[in-house]
Amino acid sequence: MAQQLAGKVAYVTGAASGIGKAIADLYAQEGAKVVIADLKQEAANAAAQDIESKGGTAMGVAVDVTQEAQVDASVEAAARAFGGIDILVSNAGIQIVKPVQDFSLGEWQKMLAIQLDGAFLTTRACIKHMYAQGRGGSIIYTGSVHSKEASRLKAPYVTAKHGLEGLAKVVAKEGGPQGVRANVICPGYVRTPLVDKQIPEQARELGISEEEVIKNVMLKETVDGEFTTLDDVARVALFFAAFPTNALTGQSMVVSHGWFMQ
Ligand code: NAD
């Protein structure tokens, strides 16, 4: 079968680890040139080298998605190196868990900055290239089941993930005439460093064991008690990126083993 992203350039944030890395890997297998955008140059390079060692094309760029100048410069460098930008996956994210009354303003602002400022800044930088190139584009935000649903201890995360749905809908409307689509992937729990870190934290905050956090908090509402996998999420990201028309835009897709059904 022909590669689904042949000739495309994808800029993926948070791509040195977890979900972003899995998406970048699959995009490269499908023929895209992939920009691994992450905080540390070394980690970004390692992920890019991993792709290159399997025959793909990738480059690592160091960027903090909350920093306007860094985002603009890294997108320019990537577009210059690879001949434009066709796909943005705005994926970088962190998690801080605690009750709402215990969040400092700084923690709240940090969470919103990474999720929302990062999504805005990368969208702005990439969409200019998509418009100028005149060949459309696909913008994908990594939302979460928490774009739809709330959980205890996650006030800024849930707020920001809901916000991404609003941004995607506006970008879908504005980008439509130029063939630029915007969609949100909403994964359930996936075993990445982001989740592994919060299992003991949630156990402490809720006064239950780590096994109970997994069974009774994270996977309780799924249809089969299973974690969502990196591959599950990457496949949805490929579907959004490769979709050929404006019919699929302004949407969100939940991939969560039935935890949330819409
Ligand atoms: P992860 O910790 O494995 O990877 C996140 C990556 O983002 C890291 O490489 C990190 O260095 C990078 N990053 C963090 N802050 C950054 C910044 N300011 N600028 C640039 N890069 C930055 O986590 P993950 O689980 O793969 O999470 C990726 C995305 O998926 C996040 O947006 C997260 O909210 C979302 N998500 C994760 C799950 C899950 O269960 N793991 C579920 C739903 C949504």
Side-chain angles (χ1 to χ4, degrees):
M1 205 172 118
Q3 288 178 311
Q4 296 185 59
L5 301 179
K8 306 282 188 199
V9 178
Y11 181 100
V12 186
T13 71
S17 174
I19 289 172
K21 185 169 191 298
I23 293 172
D25 279 345
L26 185 58
Y27 282 6
Q29 283 170 42
E30 290 294 333
K33 293 178 195 159
V34 181
V35 184
I36 307 286
D38 210 301
L39 281 174
K40 298 221 161 68
Q41 185 73 54
E42 214 169 273
N45 286 348
Q49 274 153 20
D50 189 37
I51 286 174
E52 297 244 322
S53 73
K54 292 182 267 186
T57 304
M59 67 184 279
V61 293
V63 61
D64 179 339
V65 296
T66 67
Q67 300 302 310
E68 185 172 21
Q70 290 184 29
V71 171
D72 288 348
S74 73
V75 169
E76 284 313 309
R80 241 190 341 268
F82 282 164
I85 305 280
D86 301 286
I87 301 160
L88 162 65
V89 184
S90 171
N91 166 81
I94 62 163
Q95 179 62 280
I96 302 175
V97 292
K98 53 179 67 171
V100 67
Q101 70 274 15
D102 292 347
F103 272 97
S104 68
L105 179 59
E107 288 168 331
W108 169 267
Q109 288 171 334
K110 182 177 178 188
M111 291 290 290
L112 267 53
I114 295 173
Q115 298 283 346
L116 294 177
D117 297 1
F120 161 66
L121 290 172
T122 52
T123 298
R124 191 181 66 179
C126 290
I127 209 166
K128 287 178 185 164
H129 286 279
M130 294 174 183
Y131 287 163
Q133 290 158 199
R135 54 180 195 241
S138 177
I139 296 178
I140 296 158
Y141 301 101
T142 305
S144 164
V145 164
H146 289 113
S147 300
K148 314 276 185 190
E149 184 57 275
S151 290
R152 293 185 178 94
L153 310 177
K154 297 188 175 175
Y157 188 82
V158 170
T159 303
K161 291 297 192 190
H162 276 66
L164 289 175
E165 296 227 315
L167 176 62
K169 289 177 188 172
V170 175
V171 173
K173 290 202 171 188
E174 292 183 3
Q178 313 227 42
V180 174
R181 299 175 294 108
N183 294 289
V184 185
I185 302 177
C186 300
Y189 283 100
V190 184
R191 286 306 286 263
T192 67
L194 179 138
V195 162
D196 287 340
K197 173 177 166 287
Q198 66 179 283
I199 293 171
E201 290 173 355
Q202 288 215 42
R204 209 165 39 246
E205 289 286 351
L206 297 171
I208 58 179
S209 70
E210 293 187 20
E211 290 68 33
E212 284 171 314
V213 170
I214 292 172
K215 196 157 176 276
N216 299 330
V217 178
M218 294 184 163
L219 303 180
K220 182 161 184 253
E221 302 297 334
T222 62
V223 295
D224 53 11
E226 299 278 349
F227 278 98
T228 301
T229 67
L230 291 172
D231 183 59
D232 294 328
V233 181
R235 280 167 190 266
V236 176
L238 176 61
F239 179 71
F240 275 138
F243 201 82
T245 73
N246 264 349
L248 186 65
T249 195
Q251 304 303 308
S252 55
M253 192 179 293
V254 180
V255 51
S256 72
H257 283 254
W259 164 17
F260 181 84
M261 299 188 188
Q262 50 189 353

